[in-house]
Amino acid sequence: MTDASSGSGGFPLVRPRRLRRTPAVRRLVAETRLHPADLILPLFVREGAAEPIPISSMPGVVQHTRDTLRKAAHEAVSLGVGGLMLFGIPSAKDACGTAGTDPDGILQVALRDVASEVGDATVIMSDLCLDEFTDHGHCGVLREDGTVDNDATLARYAEMAIVQAEAGAHMLGPSGMMDGQVGHVRRALDAAGHTDTSILAYSAKYASGFYGPFREAVESTLQGDRMTYQQDPANADESLREVLLDIAEGADMVMVKPAMSYLDIVRRIADEVHVPVAAYQVSGEYAMVEAAAANGWIDRDRVIMETLTSIRRAGASSILTYWATEAARKLH
Ligand code: PBG
């Protein structure tokens, strides 16, 4: 018996292994390439910190001081990292997250520091959400019954957007999953003359257990969960609806979050929309790899690059990852 795929003696005529034989040929035919410019580094800055404060559930990640934040930003930029996403941890939190809209609040101060350190050499981004600033830990302001008040929260986001843009953020990342947040922020920015400030919308953000270590990172006091505003992990079509709404409301880029358990969502969105798609490899994804590697169960460096490659392969044009600086160094 012979067919098109069998050669003499029934051995294969077509041998896919020929293109896997040497590093050179594998490199030639690689379908996915990682580049430092694809990576966005999330950074935490803690008001009043005199020394960087380690985050125990994220080994290797710290809450920066203003000074070490500048150094970390400089290092990332010198390695060609595509963007920096800043998160601020204030020394005092309250019910409406006042520190988030204070022009001298820690996030705004840090944005000014980073802008003066690296200028336009990378894209400076800021998390636009109230949870780091509220004493109840929710992403918005609460009604008397304890539920999150969508429209009152939008007004707070509009104020935050303006102070962040004025502090030097090039791109804002609304991450609170309130309905209408992108349009509301876009209109507020435009009305204040910030028509050039762009929006990276956390469009498809799931209510995920993978954010666990982040709660330590931002000293969150959240009781309960975010199921009434973040998406149900069971849903996929809903992500498309969220993404299309955000694009209609003026989002310049959209994001899927977390990344690895949601690569099907990344692929669908990348196939269906024509704006850049980012994916956020979140704290729990980082922590799992670090913990397994620390136990000697997996090869850390290999797995880090494999995770990043798989997120790119799924269709993400940018990846937020706590390994951005390290991965950029490896890529050089
Ligand atoms: C909200 C926000 C969160 C993360 C990024 N922005 C927390 C949440 O939605 O509960 C999580 C990031 C991570 O886990 O690495 N400001």
Side-chain angles (χ1 to χ4, degrees), residues 200-285:
L200 164 56
Y202 285 60
S203 302
K205 180 173 181 180
Y206 286 87
S208 171
F210 288 104
Y211 307 146
F214 179 91
R215 303 277 155 87
E216 180 194 344
V218 300
E219 302 174 23
S220 173
T221 52
L222 181 68
Q223 303 287 315
D225 59 51
R226 307 200 197 285
M227 301 293 278
T228 67
Y229 44 104
Q230 298 180 346
Q231 285 178 233
D232 183 341
N235 297 350
D237 282 344
E238 187 184 15
S239 277
L240 239 96
R241 192 154 69 235
E242 287 280 5
V243 161
L244 293 174
L245 274 171
D246 284 355
I247 293 171
E249 290 177 27
D252 300 286
M253 292 178 64
V254 295
M255 191 199 296
V256 176
K257 178 182 176 190
M260 279 170 65
S261 291
Y262 298 87
L263 294 183
D264 57 324
I265 310 296
V266 174
R267 169 48 62 200
R268 276 186 64 174
I269 292 173
D271 284 345
E272 294 201 32
V273 304
H274 302 284
V275 298
V277 178
Y280 197 143
Q281 182 178 56
V282 300
S283 58
E285 300 179 65

Coordinates of all heavy atoms in Angstrom, one line a residue, residues 200-285:
L200 N -6.3 52.0 27.6 CA -6.1 50.5 27.5 C -7.2 50.0 28.5 O -7.1 50.0 29.7 CB -4.7 50.1 28.0 CG -4.5 48.6 28.3 CD1 -4.9 47.7 27.2 CD2 -3.0 48.4 28.7
A201 N -8.3 49.5 27.9 CA -9.4 49.1 28.7 C -9.3 47.7 29.1 O -9.0 46.8 28.3 CB -10.7 49.2 27.8
Y202 N -9.4 47.5 30.4 CA -9.5 46.1 31.0 C -10.9 45.6 30.6 O -11.8 45.7 31.4 CB -9.3 46.1 32.5 CG -8.0 46.3 33.1 CD1 -7.2 47.5 32.8 CD2 -7.4 45.4 33.9 CE1 -6.0 47.7 33.5 CE2 -6.2 45.6 34.6 CZ -5.5 46.8 34.3 OH -4.3 47.0 34.9
S203 N -11.1 45.2 29.4 CA -12.4 44.9 28.9 C -13.0 43.6 29.4 O -14.1 43.5 29.8 CB -12.4 44.9 27.4 OG -11.9 46.1 26.9
A204 N -12.2 42.6 29.2 CA -12.6 41.2 29.6 C -11.9 40.8 30.8 O -10.8 40.2 30.8 CB -12.3 40.2 28.4
K205 N -12.4 41.3 31.9 CA -11.7 41.0 33.2 C -12.6 40.1 34.0 O -13.7 40.4 34.4 CB -11.5 42.3 33.9 CG -10.8 42.1 35.3 CD -10.4 43.5 35.9 CE -9.7 43.3 37.2 NZ -9.3 44.5 37.8
Y206 N -12.0 38.9 34.4 CA -12.8 37.9 35.0 C -12.7 38.0 36.6 O -11.6 38.4 37.1 CB -12.3 36.5 34.6 CG -12.9 36.2 33.2 CD1 -12.2 36.6 32.0 CD2 -14.1 35.6 33.0 CE1 -12.7 36.4 30.8 CE2 -14.6 35.4 31.7 CZ -13.9 35.8 30.6 OH -14.4 35.5 29.4
A207 N -13.7 37.6 37.3 CA -13.7 37.5 38.7 C -12.8 36.2 39.0 O -13.3 35.1 38.9 CB -15.1 37.3 39.3
S208 N -11.5 36.4 39.3 CA -10.6 35.3 39.3 C -9.9 35.1 40.6 O -9.5 36.1 41.3 CB -9.5 35.6 38.2 OG -8.5 34.7 38.3
G209 N -9.7 33.9 41.0 CA -8.9 33.5 42.1 C -7.4 33.8 41.9 O -6.6 33.8 42.9
F210 N -7.0 34.0 40.6 CA -5.6 34.2 40.3 C -5.1 35.6 40.8 O -4.0 35.9 40.6 CB -5.4 34.0 38.8 CG -5.4 32.6 38.4 CD1 -6.5 32.1 37.7 CD2 -4.3 31.7 38.7 CE1 -6.5 30.7 37.4 CE2 -4.4 30.4 38.3 CZ -5.5 29.9 37.6
Y211 N -6.0 36.5 41.3 CA -5.6 37.8 41.7 C -5.1 37.7 43.2 O -4.8 38.8 43.8 CB -6.7 38.8 41.6 CG -7.3 39.0 40.3 CD1 -8.7 39.3 40.1 CD2 -6.6 38.8 39.1 CE1 -9.3 39.4 38.9 CE2 -7.2 38.9 37.9 CZ -8.6 39.2 37.8 OH -9.2 39.3 36.5
G212 N -5.2 36.5 43.8 CA -4.9 36.4 45.2 C -3.6 37.2 45.7 O -3.7 38.0 46.6
P213 N -2.5 36.9 45.1 CA -1.3 37.6 45.6 C -1.3 39.1 45.4 O -0.7 39.9 46.2 CB -0.1 37.0 44.8 CG -0.7 35.6 44.4 CD -2.1 35.9 44.1
F214 N -2.0 39.6 44.4 CA -2.2 41.1 44.2 C -2.8 41.7 45.4 O -2.5 42.9 45.7 CB -3.0 41.3 43.0 CG -3.3 42.7 42.6 CD1 -2.4 43.4 41.8 CD2 -4.4 43.4 43.1 CE1 -2.7 44.7 41.4 CE2 -4.6 44.7 42.8 CZ -3.8 45.4 41.9
R215 N -3.7 41.0 46.1 CA -4.4 41.6 47.2 C -3.3 41.9 48.3 O -3.5 42.9 49.0 CB -5.4 40.6 47.8 CG -6.5 40.2 46.7 CD -7.6 41.3 46.6 NE -8.2 41.2 45.3 CZ -9.3 40.4 45.0 NH1 -9.8 39.6 45.9 NH2 -9.7 40.4 43.8
E216 N -2.3 41.1 48.5 CA -1.2 41.4 49.4 C -0.4 42.6 48.9 O -0.1 43.5 49.6 CB -0.3 40.2 49.6 CG 0.8 40.5 50.6 CD 2.0 39.4 50.6 OE1 1.8 38.3 50.1 OE2 3.0 39.8 51.1
A217 N -0.2 42.5 47.6 CA 0.6 43.6 47.0 C 0.1 45.0 47.2 O 0.8 45.9 47.4 CB 0.8 43.3 45.5
V218 N -1.2 45.1 47.2 CA -1.8 46.4 47.3 C -2.5 46.6 48.7 O -3.3 47.5 49.0 CB -2.8 46.8 46.2 CG1 -2.2 46.8 44.9 CG2 -4.1 45.9 46.2
E219 N -2.2 45.7 49.6 CA -2.7 45.7 51.0 C -4.2 45.8 51.0 O -4.8 46.6 51.7 CB -2.1 46.9 51.8 CG -0.5 46.8 51.8 CD 0.1 48.0 52.4 OE1 -0.5 48.7 53.2 OE2 1.3 48.2 52.1
S220 N -4.9 45.0 50.2 CA -6.3 45.1 50.0 C -7.0 44.6 51.3 O -6.6 43.6 51.9 CB -6.8 44.3 48.8 OG -8.2 44.2 48.8
T221 N -8.1 45.3 51.6 CA -8.9 44.9 52.8 C -10.2 44.2 52.4 O -11.1 44.1 53.2 CB -9.2 46.1 53.7 OG1 -9.7 47.1 52.8 CG2 -7.9 46.6 54.3
L222 N -10.3 43.9 51.1 CA -11.6 43.4 50.5 C -12.2 42.2 51.3 O -11.5 41.2 51.6 CB -11.4 43.0 49.1 CG -12.6 42.5 48.4 CD1 -13.6 43.6 48.1 CD2 -12.3 41.8 47.0
Q223 N -13.4 42.4 51.7 CA -14.2 41.3 52.2 C -15.1 40.8 51.1 O -15.7 41.7 50.4 CB -15.1 41.7 53.4 CG -14.3 42.3 54.6 CD -13.5 41.3 55.3 OE1 -14.0 40.2 55.7 NE2 -12.2 41.6 55.6
G224 N -15.4 39.6 50.9 CA -16.3 39.1 49.9 C -15.6 39.0 48.6 O -14.4 38.7 48.5
D225 N -16.3 39.3 47.5 CA -15.7 39.1 46.2 C -16.2 40.2 45.2 O -16.9 41.1 45.6 CB -16.1 37.7 45.6 CG -17.6 37.5 45.5 OD1 -18.3 38.4 45.0 OD2 -18.1 36.5 46.1
R226 N -15.8 40.1 43.9 CA -16.2 41.1 42.9 C -17.1 40.5 41.9 O -17.1 40.9 40.7 CB -14.9 41.6 42.2 CG -13.8 42.1 43.2 CD -12.8 43.0 42.4 NE -11.6 43.2 43.0 CZ -11.4 44.0 44.1 NH1 -12.4 44.6 44.6 NH2 -10.2 44.2 44.6
M227 N -17.8 39.4 42.3 CA -18.7 38.7 41.3 C -19.7 39.6 40.6 O -20.2 39.3 39.5 CB -19.3 37.5 41.9 CG -18.4 36.5 42.5 SD -17.3 35.7 41.2 CE -18.5 34.4 40.7
T228 N -20.2 40.7 41.3 CA -21.2 41.5 40.7 C -20.7 42.5 39.7 O -21.5 43.1 39.0 CB -22.0 42.3 41.8 OG1 -21.2 43.3 42.3 CG2 -22.6 41.4 42.8
Y229 N -19.4 42.6 39.5 CA -18.9 43.5 38.5 C -17.9 42.9 37.5 O -17.8 43.2 36.4 CB -18.5 44.9 39.0 CG -17.6 44.9 40.2 CD1 -16.3 45.2 40.2 CD2 -18.2 44.8 41.5 CE1 -15.5 45.3 41.3 CE2 -17.4 44.9 42.7 CZ -16.1 45.1 42.6 OH -15.3 45.2 43.7
Q230 N -17.1 41.9 38.0 CA -16.2 41.2 37.1 C -16.9 40.0 36.5 O -17.9 39.6 37.0 CB -14.9 40.8 37.9 CG -14.1 42.0 38.4 CD -12.9 41.6 39.2 OE1 -12.7 40.5 39.5 NE2 -12.0 42.6 39.5
Q231 N -16.3 39.5 35.4 CA -17.0 38.5 34.6 C -16.9 37.1 35.2 O -15.9 36.7 35.9 CB -16.5 38.4 33.2 CG -16.9 39.6 32.4 CD -16.2 39.5 31.0 OE1 -15.6 40.4 30.5 NE2 -16.4 38.4 30.3
D232 N -18.0 36.3 35.0 CA -18.0 34.9 35.4 C -17.1 34.1 34.5 O -17.2 34.2 33.3 CB -19.5 34.5 35.2 CG -19.7 33.1 35.7 OD1 -18.7 32.3 35.8 OD2 -20.9 32.7 35.9
P233 N -16.2 33.4 35.1 CA -15.2 32.6 34.3 C -15.9 31.6 33.4 O -15.3 31.1 32.4 CB -14.4 31.8 35.4 CG -14.5 32.6 36.6 CD -15.8 33.3 36.6
A234 N -17.2 31.3 33.6 CA -17.9 30.4 32.7 C -18.2 31.0 31.3 O -18.6 30.3 30.4 CB -19.2 30.0 33.3
N235 N -18.1 32.3 31.2 CA -18.6 33.0 30.0 C -17.5 33.4 29.0 O -16.4 33.9 29.4 CB -19.4 34.3 30.4 CG -20.6 33.9 31.2 OD1 -20.9 32.7 31.3 ND2 -21.2 34.9 31.8
A236 N -17.8 33.3 27.7 CA -16.9 33.7 26.6 C -17.5 34.7 25.7 O -16.9 35.8 25.5 CB -16.4 32.5 25.8
D237 N -18.7 34.5 25.3 CA -19.4 35.5 24.5 C -19.5 36.9 25.1 O -19.4 37.9 24.5 CB -20.9 35.1 24.2 CG -20.9 34.0 23.1 OD1 -19.9 33.8 22.4 OD2 -22.0 33.3 23.0
E238 N -19.7 36.8 26.4 CA -19.8 38.1 27.2 C -18.5 38.9 27.0 O -18.6 40.2 27.0 CB -20.0 37.7 28.7 CG -20.3 38.9 29.6 CD -20.4 38.5 31.0 OE1 -19.9 37.4 31.4 OE2 -20.9 39.3 31.8
S239 N -17.4 38.3 26.9 CA -16.1 39.1 26.7 C -16.2 39.9 25.4 O -15.7 41.0 25.4 CB -14.9 38.1 26.6 OG -14.5 37.8 27.9
L240 N -16.7 39.2 24.4 CA -16.8 39.9 23.1 C -17.7 41.1 23.2 O -17.4 42.2 22.7 CB -17.3 39.0 22.0 CG -16.2 39.0 21.0 CD1 -15.2 37.9 21.2 CD2 -16.7 39.1 19.6
R241 N -18.8 41.0 23.9 CA -19.7 42.1 24.1 C -19.0 43.2 24.9 O -19.1 44.4 24.5 CB -21.0 41.6 24.9 CG -22.1 42.5 24.9 CD -23.4 41.8 25.1 NE -23.5 41.3 26.5 CZ -23.8 40.0 26.8 NH1 -23.9 39.1 25.8 NH2 -23.9 39.6 28.0
E242 N -18.3 42.9 25.9 CA -17.6 43.9 26.7 C -16.5 44.6 25.8 O -16.4 45.8 25.9 CB -16.9 43.3 27.9 CG -17.8 42.8 29.0 CD -18.2 44.0 29.9 OE1 -17.9 45.2 29.6 OE2 -18.9 43.8 30.9
V243 N -15.8 43.8 25.0 CA -14.8 44.4 24.2 C -15.4 45.4 23.1 O -14.9 46.5 22.9 CB -13.9 43.3 23.5 CG1 -13.2 43.8 22.3 CG2 -13.0 42.7 24.5
L244 N -16.4 44.9 22.5 CA -17.1 45.8 21.5 C -17.6 47.0 22.1 O -17.5 48.1 21.5 CB -18.1 45.0 20.7 CG -17.6 43.8 19.9 CD1 -18.7 43.0 19.3 CD2 -16.6 44.3 18.8
L245 N -18.2 46.9 23.3 CA -18.7 48.1 23.9 C -17.6 49.1 24.2 O -17.7 50.3 24.0 CB -19.3 47.8 25.3 CG -20.8 47.3 25.3 CD1 -21.2 46.8 26.7 CD2 -21.7 48.5 25.0
D246 N -16.5 48.6 24.7 CA -15.3 49.4 25.1 C -14.7 50.1 23.8 O -14.4 51.3 23.9 CB -14.2 48.7 25.8 CG -14.6 48.4 27.3 OD1 -15.7 48.9 27.7 OD2 -13.9 47.7 28.0
I247 N -14.7 49.4 22.7 CA -14.1 50.0 21.5 C -15.1 51.1 21.0 O -14.7 52.2 20.7 CB -13.9 48.9 20.4 CG1 -12.8 48.0 20.9 CG2 -13.6 49.6 19.1 CD1 -12.6 46.7 20.0
A248 N -16.4 50.8 21.1 CA -17.4 51.8 20.7 C -17.3 53.1 21.6 O -17.5 54.2 21.2 CB -18.8 51.2 20.8
E249 N -16.9 52.8 22.9 CA -16.8 54.0 23.8 C -15.4 54.7 23.7 O -15.2 55.6 24.5 CB -17.0 53.4 25.3 CG -18.4 53.0 25.6 CD -18.6 52.4 27.0 OE1 -17.8 52.8 27.9 OE2 -19.5 51.6 27.2
G250 N -14.6 54.2 22.9 CA -13.3 54.9 22.7 C -12.1 54.3 23.2 O -11.0 54.9 23.2
A251 N -12.1 53.0 23.5 CA -10.9 52.3 24.0 C -9.9 52.2 22.8 O -10.3 51.9 21.7 CB -11.2 50.9 24.5
D252 N -8.6 52.5 23.1 CA -7.6 52.4 22.0 C -7.0 51.0 21.9 O -6.6 50.5 20.9 CB -6.5 53.4 22.3 CG -7.0 54.8 22.3 OD1 -7.3 55.4 21.3 OD2 -7.2 55.4 23.4
M253 N -6.9 50.4 23.1 CA -6.5 49.0 23.2 C -7.4 48.3 24.2 O -8.0 48.9 25.0 CB -5.1 48.9 23.8 CG -4.0 49.4 22.9 SD -2.3 49.4 23.6 CE -2.0 47.6 23.8
V254 N -7.5 46.9 24.1 CA -8.3 46.2 25.0 C -7.5 45.1 25.7 O -6.4 44.8 25.2 CB -9.6 45.6 24.3 CG1 -10.5 46.6 23.8 CG2 -9.2 44.6 23.2
M255 N -8.0 44.6 26.8 CA -7.2 43.7 27.6 C -8.0 42.5 28.0 O -9.2 42.7 28.3 CB -6.6 44.3 28.8 CG -5.6 43.5 29.6 SD -5.3 44.0 31.2 CE -4.6 45.6 31.0
V256 N -7.4 41.3 28.1 CA -8.0 40.1 28.7 C -7.2 39.8 29.9 O -6.0 39.9 29.9 CB -7.9 38.9 27.7 CG1 -8.5 37.7 28.4 CG2 -8.7 39.2 26.4
K257 N -7.9 39.4 31.0 CA -7.2 39.2 32.3 C -8.0 38.3 33.1 O -9.2 38.4 33.2 CB -7.2 40.6 32.9 CG -6.5 40.6 34.3 CD -6.6 42.0 34.9 CE -6.0 41.9 36.3 NZ -6.2 43.1 37.0
P258 N -7.4 37.3 33.7 CA -6.0 36.8 33.6 C -5.7 36.3 32.2 O -6.6 36.4 31.3 CB -5.9 35.7 34.6 CG -7.1 35.8 35.5 CD -8.2 36.4 34.7
A259 N -4.5 35.8 32.0 CA -4.1 35.4 30.7 C -4.2 33.9 30.5 O -5.0 33.4 29.6 CB -2.6 35.8 30.4
M260 N -3.5 33.1 31.2 CA -3.3 31.7 30.9 C -4.6 30.8 30.9 O -4.7 29.9 30.1 CB -2.2 31.0 31.7 CG -0.8 31.4 31.1 SD 0.5 30.9 32.2 CE 0.3 29.1 32.2
S261 N -5.5 31.1 31.8 CA -6.7 30.3 31.8 C -7.7 30.9 30.9 O -8.8 30.3 30.8 CB -7.3 30.3 33.2 OG -6.5 29.5 34.1
Y262 N -7.4 31.9 30.1 CA -8.3 32.6 29.3 C -7.7 32.8 27.9 O -8.1 33.7 27.2 CB -8.7 34.0 29.9 CG -9.4 33.7 31.2 CD1 -8.7 33.6 32.4 CD2 -10.8 33.5 31.3 CE1 -9.3 33.3 33.6 CE2 -11.4 33.2 32.5 CZ -10.7 33.1 33.7 OH -11.3 32.8 34.8
L263 N -6.9 31.9 27.4 CA -6.2 32.0 26.1 C -7.3 31.9 25.0 O -7.1 32.4 23.9 CB -5.1 31.1 26.0 CG -3.9 31.4 26.9 CD1 -2.7 30.4 26.6 CD2 -3.4 32.8 26.8
D264 N -8.3 31.1 25.3 CA -9.4 31.0 24.2 C -10.0 32.4 24.0 O -10.4 32.7 22.9 CB -10.4 30.0 24.7 CG -11.1 30.3 26.0 OD1 -10.4 30.8 26.9 OD2 -12.3 30.0 26.2
I265 N -10.2 33.1 25.1 CA -10.8 34.5 25.0 C -9.8 35.4 24.2 O -10.2 36.2 23.3 CB -11.0 35.1 26.4 CG1 -11.8 34.1 27.3 CG2 -11.8 36.4 26.3 CD1 -13.2 33.7 26.8
V266 N -8.5 35.3 24.5 CA -7.5 36.1 23.8 C -7.6 35.9 22.3 O -7.7 36.8 21.5 CB -6.1 35.8 24.3 CG1 -5.1 36.6 23.5 CG2 -5.9 36.2 25.8
R267 N -7.7 34.6 22.0 CA -7.8 34.2 20.5 C -9.0 34.8 19.9 O -9.0 35.3 18.8 CB -7.6 32.7 20.4 CG -7.9 32.1 19.0 CD -7.2 32.8 17.9 NE -5.8 32.8 18.0 CZ -4.9 33.6 17.4 NH1 -5.4 34.6 16.6 NH2 -3.6 33.5 17.5
R268 N -10.2 34.6 20.5 CA -11.4 35.0 19.9 C -11.4 36.5 19.7 O -11.8 37.1 18.6 CB -12.6 34.7 20.8 CG -13.1 33.3 20.5 CD -14.3 32.9 21.3 NE -15.5 33.7 20.9 CZ -16.7 33.5 21.3 NH1 -16.9 32.5 22.2 NH2 -17.7 34.3 20.9
I269 N -10.9 37.3 20.7 CA -10.9 38.7 20.6 C -9.9 39.1 19.5 O -10.2 40.0 18.6 CB -10.6 39.4 21.9 CG1 -11.8 39.1 22.9 CG2 -10.4 40.8 21.8 CD1 -11.6 39.5 24.3
A270 N -8.7 38.5 19.5 CA -7.7 38.9 18.5 C -8.2 38.6 17.1 O -8.0 39.4 16.2 CB -6.4 38.1 18.7
D271 N -9.0 37.6 16.9 CA -9.6 37.3 15.6 C -10.7 38.2 15.2 O -10.9 38.5 14.0 CB -10.2 35.9 15.6 CG -9.1 34.8 15.5 OD1 -7.9 35.1 15.2 OD2 -9.4 33.6 15.8
E272 N -11.4 38.8 16.2 CA -12.6 39.5 15.8 C -12.5 41.0 15.9 O -13.4 41.7 15.3 CB -13.8 39.0 16.7 CG -14.1 37.6 16.3 CD -15.5 37.1 16.7 OE1 -16.4 38.0 16.7 OE2 -15.7 36.0 17.0
V273 N -11.5 41.6 16.5 CA -11.5 43.0 16.6 C -10.2 43.5 16.0 O -9.2 42.7 15.8 CB -11.6 43.6 18.0 CG1 -12.9 43.1 18.7 CG2 -10.4 43.2 18.9
H274 N -10.1 44.8 15.7 CA -9.0 45.3 15.0 C -8.3 46.5 15.8 O -8.0 47.5 15.3 CB -9.4 45.7 13.6 CG -9.9 44.6 12.8 ND1 -9.1 43.6 12.3 CD2 -11.2 44.2 12.6 CE1 -9.9 42.6 11.8 NE2 -11.2 43.0 11.9
V275 N -8.2 46.2 17.1 CA -7.4 47.1 18.0 C -6.4 46.2 18.6 O -6.6 45.0 18.7 CB -8.2 47.8 19.0 CG1 -9.3 48.7 18.4 CG2 -8.9 46.9 20.0
P276 N -5.3 46.7 19.1 CA -4.3 45.9 19.8 C -4.9 45.2 21.0 O -5.7 45.8 21.8 CB -3.2 46.8 20.1 CG -3.3 48.0 19.2 CD -4.8 48.1 19.0
V277 N -4.6 43.9 21.2 CA -5.1 43.2 22.4 C -3.9 42.9 23.3 O -2.9 42.3 22.9 CB -5.7 41.9 21.9 CG1 -6.2 41.0 23.1 CG2 -6.8 42.1 20.9
A278 N -4.1 43.3 24.6 CA -3.2 42.9 25.6 C -3.7 41.8 26.5 O -4.9 41.6 26.6 CB -2.9 44.2 26.5
A279 N -2.8 41.1 27.1 CA -3.3 40.1 28.1 C -2.4 40.3 29.4 O -1.2 40.6 29.3 CB -3.1 38.7 27.6
Y280 N -3.1 40.1 30.5 CA -2.4 40.4 31.8 C -2.1 39.0 32.5 O -3.0 38.3 32.9 CB -3.3 41.2 32.7 CG -2.6 41.9 33.9 CD1 -3.0 43.2 34.3 CD2 -1.6 41.3 34.6 CE1 -2.4 43.8 35.3 CE2 -1.0 41.9 35.7 CZ -1.4 43.2 36.1 OH -0.8 43.8 37.1
Q281 N -0.8 38.7 32.5 CA -0.4 37.5 33.2 C -0.3 37.9 34.7 O 0.6 38.6 35.2 CB 1.0 37.1 32.7 CG 1.5 35.8 33.4 CD 2.9 35.4 32.8 OE1 3.8 36.2 32.8 NE2 3.0 34.2 32.3
V282 N -1.4 37.5 35.5 CA -1.6 38.1 36.8 C -0.8 37.5 37.9 O -0.1 36.5 37.7 CB -3.1 38.1 37.2 CG1 -3.9 38.9 36.1 CG2 -3.6 36.7 37.3
S283 N -0.9 38.1 39.1 CA -0.1 37.7 40.2 C -0.1 36.2 40.5 O 0.9 35.6 40.8 CB -0.6 38.5 41.4 OG -1.9 38.3 41.7
G284 N -1.3 35.6 40.4 CA -1.4 34.2 40.8 C -0.7 33.3 39.8 O -0.1 32.2 40.1
E285 N -0.7 33.8 38.5 CA 0.1 33.0 37.5 C 1.6 33.1 37.7 O 2.3 32.1 37.6 CB -0.3 33.6 36.1 CG -1.7 33.5 35.7 CD -2.0 34.2 34.4 OE1 -1.5 33.6 33.4 OE2 -2.7 35.2 34.3

